[in-house]
Amino acid sequence: MNKLYEKLNTAKIHLLCCLKNINTNNKGMGVIEIVLIILVLVGLVIIFRSQITAIITNVFSKVTKEINGF
């Protein structure tokens, strides 16, 4: 029974060390996050392309009218 307790305790310590290393080892996290954000933004632009084009056209048309009004 004592040996089983020692093995379980050793396994627990090993597992806690592994979990600690997972939390502190984040070397590639920045790149993955940036790539995911870019993918989401590109997807949104593709989905809402016509609405974005209409808004930009509307804004430039208003700016042109205001400039010509001076």
Side-chain angles (χ1 to χ4, degrees), residues 11-51:
K12 179 179 120 181
I13 292 171
H14 182 67
L15 180 64
L16 290 175
C17 287
C18 289
L19 290 175
K20 184 178 178 184
N21 286 339
I22 289 172
N23 284 340
T24 59
N25 187 8
N26 55 5
K27 293 177 183 174
M29 290 300 289
V31 174
I32 294 171
E33 291 167 354
I34 291 172
V35 168
L36 288 175
I37 290 171
I38 290 172
L39 286 175
V40 168
L41 289 175
V42 167
L44 288 173
V45 168
I46 290 171
I47 292 171
F48 297 108
R49 182 174 54 203
S50 61
Q51 289 91 346

Side-chain angles (χ1 to χ4, degrees), residues 51-68:
Q51 289 91 346
I52 293 171
T53 304
I55 291 170
I56 291 174
T57 304
N58 190 12
V59 168
F60 278 122
S61 125
K62 286 182 181 179
V63 168
T64 304
K65 285 180 185 177
E66 290 294 323
I67 290 175
N68 290 334

